[in-house]
Each structure stands twice: as structure tokens, then as C-alpha cells.
Amino acid sequence: MIRLVRELYQYRGLLLSLVQRELKARYRGSFLGFLWTFLNPTLHMMVYALLFTVVMRQNIPSFPYFMFVGLLPWLWFSSSLGGGASAISDRRDLMTKVRFPAQVLPTTVVLTNLSNYLLSLPLMVGLGLFYGQTPTWHILAFPVVVAIQLVFTLALTYILAAINVTFRDLQHIVNNLLTMWFFMTPVLYPISTIKDDPLRDVVMTLNPMSSLLVSYQAIFYEHRWPDPGPLAALAVFSLVLMWGASSIFESRREDFAESI
């Protein structure tokens, strides 16, 4: 893992350039262009808000804001895994170049989606102000939660990208699993709605994204500090997963150019 971090730092200029290029190219040629960075999560929020406030009524105060707080980091996570799985297999043009650093490709996907998330935060804050929800000093915990999610997302993305080079079906499997994972994560409902305590503990323990989204909801919606226990456990788990992911990635790196 240390080698991987050192190499990412060594190629930080290339990484930054690729992230900037991805951000510019994502909506190139579209009429609204960069505005889609804000429109995509907004349209997601409007669809779910219509469903759960009109069709399936929820008794959650400021429900659109509550949902948006969890939806934005989920979109960062799901877009990173969905796009990151094919980050290497889809870039034959780069991987066949001599000594191209393959490790920057999955990282580029994750950082690009992180940038979209951060750019959407003013929209979330504005929606909160509309509902009378003003950010409090608990926002100081936000960078910690983002850092933990970054490590966790990077680890999964490295594993998926490395395996997908030889098992191309994985990228399609991942996209379907993400749909199921979404509904098992408290984005559209608070974790407190799960009345069965053992079941709630299972959801929080076996679903790392639950701990992260509950932490975001604590900061922005409930205006309190996130529970440190689950976050600390997830931080340790993410570091161990990152170590394993870097080992898998390094063991398969030499075969990337031949396999694609």
C-alpha cells in the first residue's frame, strides 16, 4: 500500500491532469454542459422526493433535504465503482504505452466523482437553507467522513478494476449489485425506521456505506457529531481493505497490457 501511495504522489501531476480532463469531457458537446454536475443529483432527488412525498408518503421532516444529504455521497460511491470497474479495461490506448502508471486510472475515476460531489455541496446547503436547516460547527467532522469514504471507495475500485481486466462480466454484475446495495443503505429512510435492533445492527455492521451515510446525516441533518465507534471501525477496515486491494492490484499489474 505504501508503494501505491508513493507512486500516486509521484504521478500527482498526471493524476490532476486526467481528473481535469474527465471533468471537462464528461458533458462536452451537451447544451447545458457543466450544469449537468448539479442537474443530475437534483433530478435524482426530485424523482425520489416525488415518490416518497406524494406516492409513498414519508413522515420525515424536510424529507427532500434529508434524502439529498445521503444521495450525494452515494452517487459519488456508486459512480466510482460503476465507472472504476472498467477504468483499466476500457483504456487500451493508455495501457499499451510504455510504463504508463495504471494505478492513476482507478484513482482518476474516484477523484473525478469526488469533485462532482464537492461541487454539488453548495446545492445541498441551499436546499437545507430553504428548509431552515443551517450548517452548524459539527461540519468540522465532514472532512474526516469524506477521507474514510475516499479510502474505502478507492480500495473497492482498485479490486474491481484489477479483476475486470480478465473477467469483463464483473462490470455488469457490479452495476446490478449497486442497485440492490442502494436500497439496503439508509438513503431514502433513516436507520431508526428499522425497528428490529439486531437487524439494524447487522445493516450498520455489514454495510459500510450505512455508517458513512448515517454520519453525513448526523452532521448536516441532525446537527450533531457522528458516532465515533462505527467510523473508527470503518476507518481501520478501509485501511486493511486498501492494503489488500493494493496487493491484488500489484500482483496483476504486469498482465494488464496483455489482457486488454
Side-chain angles (χ1 to χ4, degrees):
M1 184 174 73
I2 296 176
R3 178 187 174 185
L4 183 63
V5 173
R6 185 171 62 245
E7 289 177 340
L8 288 176
Y9 180 77
Q10 177 184 350
Y11 294 109
R12 62 190 183 279
L14 173 62
L15 184 58
L16 178 61
S17 176
L18 288 174
V19 170
Q20 291 176 337
R21 189 176 74 173
E22 286 296 317
L23 286 171
K24 293 176 181 177
R26 179 162 291 190
Y27 305 114
R28 182 179 299 160
S30 64
F31 179 73
L32 295 177
F34 195 69
L35 285 176
W36 281 110
T37 300
F38 310 103
L39 287 174
N40 275 330
T42 302
L43 292 173
H44 273 86
M45 183 268 294
M46 291 176 64
V47 170
Y48 288 122
L50 178 66
L51 176 63
F52 286 95
T53 57
V54 178
V55 181
M56 302 170 61
R57 292 185 178 275
Q58 289 276 3
N59 295 320
I60 302 173
S62 310
F63 177 73
Y65 177 63
F66 165 83
M67 179 184 56
F68 210 42
V69 168
L71 184 62
L72 289 180
W74 173 263
L75 289 176
W76 165 28
F77 174 73
S78 60
S79 298
S80 297
L81 264 61
S86 59
I88 294 175
S89 56
D90 286 351
R91 298 311 301 265
R92 179 180 176 85
D93 57 325
L94 295 177
M95 290 305 304
T96 52
K97 295 182 182 296
V98 178
R99 296 184 61 81
F100 181 83
Q103 63 273 23
V104 304
L105 294 177
T107 310
T108 297
V109 175
V110 175
L111 293 184
T112 300
N113 287 295
L114 170 59
S115 300
N116 278 332
Y117 172 42
L118 297 178
L119 288 170
S120 298
L121 286 178
L123 189 64
M124 185 195 74
V125 173
L127 182 63
L129 293 174
F130 176 79
Y131 284 101
Q133 299 271 6
T134 305
T136 61
W137 61 292
H138 301 97
I139 199 174
L140 293 175
F142 176 70
V144 177
V145 183
V146 169
I148 294 172
Q149 182 173 345
L150 176 61
V151 176
F152 176 66
T153 306
L154 274 173
L156 287 181
T157 304
Y158 272 114
I159 294 172
L160 294 175
I163 297 176
N164 190 70
V165 170
T166 52
F167 182 56
R168 300 295 179 89
D169 294 322
L170 181 62
Q171 63 194 67
H172 305 293
I173 295 173
V174 166
N175 287 323
N176 285 281
L177 288 178
L178 283 170
T179 301
M180 182 176 66
W181 197 343
F182 173 75
F183 290 104
M184 294 175 61
T185 305
V187 178
L188 305 176
Y189 54 90
I191 193 69
S192 58
T193 58
I194 303 178
K195 302 300 182 183
D196 189 341
D197 289 340
L199 178 59
R200 185 164 62 241
D201 293 340
V202 168
V203 171
M204 290 294 292
T205 303
L206 299 183
N207 183 357
M209 286 304 296
S210 291
S211 297
L212 289 168
L213 296 195
V214 167
S215 298
Y216 289 118
Q217 291 161 1
I219 294 170
F220 292 107
Y221 183 76
E222 300 172 2
H223 307 298
R224 62 175 178 84
W225 293 111
D227 295 332
L231 276 182
L234 180 55
V236 173
F237 172 74
S238 298
L239 289 173
V240 173
L241 185 64
M242 189 65 188
W243 176 81
S246 62
S247 299
I248 294 173
F249 194 84
E250 290 296 330
S251 67
R252 303 176 66 90
R253 189 194 299 201
E254 298 300 326
D255 301 327
F256 286 164
E258 296 179 2
S259 298
I260 62 175

